[in-house]
Amino acid sequence: MEAMGFSLTVAAVLGIAGRFGTCGIGEAALPAIADSIACGDERRVRRLIGAVLAVFGVSSIVTAVLLASSAGRLVEWSDALVGKSTAVTFIGITCLSYVLGQITHALMTILRASGRYDLVTIITTPLTLATGIIACIVVPLAPSLTSVALVGLVSAVAGSLTTLFVASRAVPAVCRPLAGLSELPSLARYGSWLVLTSAFAALTGGVDDLVIAWSCGATAVPPWAIAKRLWLTAHTFLGQHAEHLIPTLGSLRNTARSSFDSVSSAMHWYVVLLAAVGYTLFAWAGEAIVAIVAGSSVASLCQPPIFAYSLYGIGLATLIIPVIAALAEGASRPAFVVAVLTNTAQLAAIYGIANTLGAPSVYYAPLAALPALMLATGTTSTSIFDPRSARSRIQPIAVPLIFGVLGVISSVAAPIDMTGWHRMAAGGVLAVVVFLSTIGVERLLRINTTFHLQLARVVKHAIDGVARVTLRAVVGFTRKQPPHTTQQVNS
């Protein structure tokens, strides 16, 4: 346990350095590289690649040197019962792995900017699986910090070499980078807002638990924390579902503005529809899921925050694509404004309700952030609230938004003695009803018909893809079967 705690401490230090040490340059380069590739500006692509590689390389090396030089102090500060020589060796190997990992991260940023998310998945999935298997075999046989560090180093070397090989062929400019010092100021301005957003979210993300524990007691924290964890899983899914749009929209912002608007509008509607369906199921089945894991008594306490976070999640889903579109256009300030408005409103509500009404009323605090979400729908790169922008963003998603809110509110009407499986079944049925009602009402009103056609094409394409993969698997399996001889057939 001492060794594990020490390794996690080092990993936490490197994780913080990796998140904030590059000043958001990697995220800033995504739309910039995509736009330069779309415009055919090969020289700027090479400058941006050079800037990304230089920032990630220099920042990782500086971090590694500082951490390695203070290894002894870190051992004393952590009070871990680990030998100093072993700890220094572990930190040295881990720092080398960190440098290689940051270079790999930079190369994957370039791949994502060029739209090759498929290659990123092809690299990361087998590598992560192989690393986990090797660690499960090696560490029990030789349980030591050195073994853990060596497994990480092997993974980092394999990942960096593989990513370099793939990136050099997918994006030939990787082999011929230029000094991108002239690009750093614009990238730093863009990235600074993202760094502030991450820092603000990190500072306010865990404070709510402390406020509830201080005002209502530690026993009031678990229901809130469980519901929040479930909501974060759902929101992360929605965010990652649309994250690939940053380089896609970045490549269209100057070359095909009409396509930029149509793609962002369609995805805006699709994400809100998916949130309406998903959070309806979440509001109904969330309590049942908690009951399976933690018991019915804990699940009943989690119902209020699950309900509140379901409505909050639908509201926050209306801002996912507007923020991503702003990032693709080179404006990162709206992301910071949204984080400040929503987190501040929720934290203020938690403090006020916890000190006046206590638990379980404090579990409804996310509802207090809904006015801030409405204000954030009008946030642009030049204004905190623009009524015209807010109206243009709400109008195409009004129908799925209304049905999603109604689906979540309907969970309050569930009977108290309703079993968990019945809640899950009812949630599934209502989620389908929300989807069909949205499509039906919009077709009746003759709105968003192009979005319906695009969604139908996507579904058809997905079904065809699954059918092709299944057919290939069946054909491959049958071909591997040995041929039957006449004697086997007769017998």
Side-chain angles (χ1 to χ4, degrees):
M1 293 298 292
E2 293 286 343
M4 181 183 297
F6 181 75
S7 64
L8 292 176
T9 302
V10 175
V13 172
L14 293 177
I16 294 173
R19 184 66 188 90
F20 298 103
T22 58
C23 300
I25 298 296
E27 292 87 346
L30 277 175
I33 294 176
D35 178 49
S36 300
I37 292 176
C39 296
D41 192 348
E42 179 69 19
R43 192 166 183 82
R44 184 165 187 252
V45 172
R46 293 167 62 189
R47 289 201 306 269
L48 289 169
I49 290 176
V52 171
L53 293 175
V55 168
F56 275 82
V58 171
S59 64
S60 62
I61 291 173
V62 171
T63 301
V65 170
L66 291 176
L67 183 60
S69 61
S70 58
R73 296 178 182 177
L74 183 61
V75 174
E76 297 175 358
W77 173 78
S78 63
D79 290 332
L81 300 177
V82 180
K84 187 173 182 179
S85 60
T86 302
V88 171
T89 302
F90 170 78
I91 291 176
I93 298 175
T94 303
C95 287
L96 180 58
S97 302
Y98 172 74
V99 173
L100 294 175
Q102 287 295 94
I103 298 299
T104 302
H105 188 190
L107 294 171
M108 287 189 175
T109 298
I110 297 168
L111 286 175
R112 288 196 295 269
S114 62
R116 300 309 305 268
Y117 279 82
D118 56 336
L119 295 179
V120 173
T121 304
I122 290 173
I123 295 171
T124 55
T125 303
L127 186 63
T128 303
L129 180 62
T131 303
I133 294 174
I134 293 173
C136 291
I137 295 173
V138 173
V139 175
L141 295 177
S144 66
L145 284 175
T146 305
S147 301
V148 174
L150 289 176
V151 171
L153 179 61
V154 171
S155 175
V157 171
S160 59
L161 293 178
T162 304
T163 309
L164 179 61
F165 175 80
V166 173
S168 62
R169 280 152 179 76
V171 187
V174 170
C175 301
R176 297 177 291 112
L178 295 175
L181 296 178
S182 60
E183 302 289 345
L184 288 179
S186 60
L187 295 177
R189 283 194 300 270
Y190 181 104
S192 61
W193 287 106
L194 297 180
V195 172
L196 288 175
T197 303
S198 298
F200 186 82
L203 291 174
T204 59
V207 176
D208 51 358
D209 296 343
L210 299 178
V211 173
I212 292 175
W214 177 61
S215 303
C216 305
T219 56
V221 175
W224 171 269
I226 292 172
K228 181 180 178 182
R229 179 69 62 179
L230 291 174
W231 166 77
L232 281 174
T233 302
H235 183 67
T236 302
F237 169 77
L238 289 174
Q240 291 179 344
H241 201 69
E243 185 183 10
H244 66 281
L245 285 176
I246 295 179
T248 302
L249 294 176
S251 64
L252 299 174
R253 65 184 185 184
N254 293 323
T255 58
R257 187 66 196 187
S258 59
S259 298
F260 181 98
D261 295 333
S262 62
V263 170
S264 59
S265 299
M267 287 301 300
H268 186 38
W269 174 82
Y270 170 71
V271 168
V272 174
L273 176 61
L274 187 61
V277 173
Y279 281 114
T280 298
L281 179 61
F282 177 75
W284 276 86
E287 183 179 347
I289 295 173
V290 176
I292 295 173
V293 177
S296 58
S297 59
V298 177
S300 62
L301 295 175
C302 292
Q303 196 277 330
I306 287 176
F307 168 77
Y309 266 120
S310 298
L311 289 178
Y312 177 74
I314 292 179
L316 200 60
T318 63
L319 300 173
I320 291 177
I321 297 301
V323 168
I324 287 179
L327 293 175
E329 288 185 292
S332 54
R333 191 175 69 171
F336 176 72
V337 173
V338 168
V340 170
L341 289 176
T342 55
N343 289 11
T344 302
Q346 180 171 294
L347 191 59
I350 291 172
Y351 179 79
I353 298 174
N355 285 279
T356 54
L357 301 177
S361 299
V362 70
Y363 297 151
Y364 294 98
L367 300 179
L370 295 180
L373 290 174
M374 296 178 63
L375 178 64
T377 55
T379 299
T380 64
S381 58
T382 58
S383 174
I384 294 180
F385 181 76
D386 180 15
R388 184 177 301 176
S389 297
R391 184 170 58 253
S392 64
R393 291 170 179 172
I394 293 296
Q395 186 175 359
I397 62 169
V399 176
L401 184 61
I402 291 173
F403 279 111
V405 171
L406 292 177
V408 172
I409 294 177
S410 66
S411 64
V412 180
I416 299 177
D417 57 347
M418 193 174 188
T419 64
W421 295 110
H422 288 164
R423 287 186 66 93
M424 295 179 70
V429 171
L430 285 175
V432 174
V433 170
V434 168
F435 176 80
L436 295 179
S437 300
T438 299
I439 301 298
V441 170
E442 288 186 342
R443 292 183 69 86
L444 182 64
L445 299 176
R446 296 181 180 180
I447 58 176
N448 297 335
T449 54
T450 56
F451 300 161
H452 301 167
L453 295 176
Q454 292 172 0
L455 180 60
R457 293 193 193 101
V458 171
V459 173
K460 184 179 181 301
H461 180 73
I463 294 174
D464 292 342
V466 172
R468 285 195 299 268
V469 171
T470 305
L471 181 61
R472 289 175 183 175
V474 172
V475 172
F477 178 77
T478 55
R479 286 179 178 178
K480 291 180 180 180
Q481 297 299 315
H484 297 287
T485 62
T486 305
Q487 182 179 1
Q488 290 174 328
V489 173
N490 292 335
S491 62

